[in-house]
Amino acid sequence: MDKELLFQAVERHAPQLTALSDHIWELAELSMQEHRSVQAYIRILTQEGFQVEQNLAGIPTAFLGRFGSGKPVIGILGEFDALSGLSQAPGITEKQPLAAGGCGHGCGHNLLGAASLGAAIAVKEAIQAGQLPGSIVFYGCPGEEGCAGKAFMARDGMFRDLDAALCWHPGDVNEITTGSNAASLQVEYTFTGIAAHAADCPEQGRSALDAAELMNIGVQFLREHMPRGCSVHYAILDGGGASPNVVQPTATLLYMVRGDCVRSAKALLRRVEQCAHGAAMMTDTQVTHRQIDGTSSTVSNRVLEECLYRNFQSVSLPEYTQEEWRFAEALKATYFPGKLPGQRTEEDFSLQQLVAEKTEHGTKALNDFLFPYAPSLHQSPGSSDVGDVSWLTPTAQFTAVTWTSGSPGHSWQNVSIGRTSIAHKGMLLAAKVLAAAAADLLTQPELLDKAKAEFALATAQGYECPLEADTKPTA
């Protein structure tokens, strides 16, 4: 079909998409608590004629909107959860919370979901007009920031009926995402001891706080013996109280264990658990644990990545006003100087040099160009629940510029710019790329066949869900 019709559809819906993004920005609801955000999406999906299904995988804030019939079936992933402690006034270049301790969209999921919905609507209108065959499915995926909503959906069989899935993420560069990322497992450890007067009868007490500290020490020594590509992080959720003259009867730790795949993450987790049980033995306390969530490594698909790149090349990139450039430059000046703007891995240095003179990549406040596609085997140390989708259907993703060059992730600066015209332009750009790529997948069976063949080879070992059977999603 003429993809210009898809782009025009996105532009027609631009006021609606911008309003949705700004509304989600204002709500700033945390993982698995995105109830009002979900209702905003469902209202639009219903108005647009999508068949809506809610409470997916038993999660009240997981839903989908489906339109069309038959094959191919293309899925577009959306997210909408915010982060705690990142409340920030919009469109300014200084840290200024709207509410002390409040939440904010420091990862741009207000933009992510709105663009994905815009793409789904554009494709829906083309299917409705008889210009495209098949079906389009918009997935409302909750809890990416701490609860791995897509992993729970994948465990329940979501995404398996798709021929392919597409997604994007706000960023500081227009670029196809390639390579993989780490698998992760989050487990909560609770130590239970016996309270006693810390001075008068300490021998009668059993300190859960001692156990927690000993577990942490054990894991610190374990770090030397972790395989490459693995890492461990932790937080103290409960230190037993605020009274030092009491032997602390409770303590709770939250651990995140990462590995290059689910299997290696589970192997490392077993050693972390030995540290927990050893600490309990040393302190004569009890320890229990429960899994919070888990995510898989991402299976890249070069056929789909190349499809996204071709369509990215076909879309006109945003042009920025002088006012937008001035704002971006002022915001960029607030970033921590230790991080190089637009920093890449070592394997990408030659590619940086290729475009450096023309684009001044890393020196401009806004990266107003498309970074050349360069397939990579690099594995990011971070994690994403998109990985679980990629084990069930061919999946590809990209980033579009909504932030200034070198923007720190999960920052007040991202919240501030996330409700400005700069971010809105990147959101509409992403919607057009997603819609155009979906149109190719709906009309080119040979393209899907190639993507599926690559997928089958890459996932021959099968999907190992990172979640235990009894793990339940928690807010």
Side-chain angles (χ1 to χ4, degrees), residues 346-423:
E346 290 183 8
E347 65 183 288
D348 295 318
F349 282 169
S350 60
L351 187 58
Q352 279 186 296
Q353 294 167 2
L354 181 67
V355 297
E357 290 186 5
K358 180 179 179 181
T359 64
E360 298 180 319
H361 179 64
T363 63
K364 302 177 74 172
L366 292 167
N367 288 318
D368 57 345
F369 67 98
L370 174 60
F371 206 84
Y373 173 58
S376 171
L377 297 177
H378 173 69
Q379 184 167 46
S380 164
S383 305
S384 168
D385 58 4
V386 174
D388 292 272
V389 181
S390 74
W391 280 92
L392 300 181
T393 190
T395 304
Q397 52 192 325
F398 63 92
T399 59
V401 170
T402 58
W403 306 328
T404 49
S405 172
S407 173
H410 293 189
S411 64
W412 68 263
Q413 291 96 332
N414 288 357
V415 183
S416 178
I417 200 173
R419 218 188 76 174
T420 67
S421 56
I422 294 172

Side-chain angles (χ1 to χ4, degrees), residues 59-103:
I59 304 173
T61 54
F63 65 96
L64 64 79
R66 185 187 305 269
F67 191 90
S69 60
K71 292 278 193 175
V73 182
I74 305 303
I76 300 181
L77 310 180
E79 299 169 10
F80 31 78
D81 57 329
L83 291 155
S84 62
L86 285 180
S87 175
Q88 169 64 30
I92 63 174
T93 57
E94 59 183 17
K95 187 176 182 180
Q96 183 178 310
L98 287 174
C103 307

Side-chain angles (χ1 to χ4, degrees), residues 320-360:
Y320 303 106
T321 65
Q322 288 300 313
E323 182 180 2
E324 288 169 336
W325 279 108
R326 284 194 293 270
F327 172 78
E329 288 164 0
L331 189 64
K332 182 183 176 185
T334 68
Y335 296 160
F336 181 68
K339 179 181 183 294
L340 294 176
Q343 187 171 348
R344 287 291 188 278
T345 61
E346 290 183 8
E347 65 183 288
D348 295 318
F349 282 169
S350 60
L351 187 58
Q352 279 186 296
Q353 294 167 2
L354 181 67
V355 297
E357 290 186 5
K358 180 179 179 181
T359 64
E360 298 180 319

Side-chain angles (χ1 to χ4, degrees), residues 109-139:
H109 292 180
N110 59 305
L111 301 158
L112 193 164
S116 295
L117 178 61
I121 290 173
V123 173
K124 182 271 300 187
E125 291 184 353
I127 293 174
Q128 196 170 34
Q131 297 163 336
L132 288 175
S135 307
I136 189 74
V137 185
F138 171 82
Y139 284 92

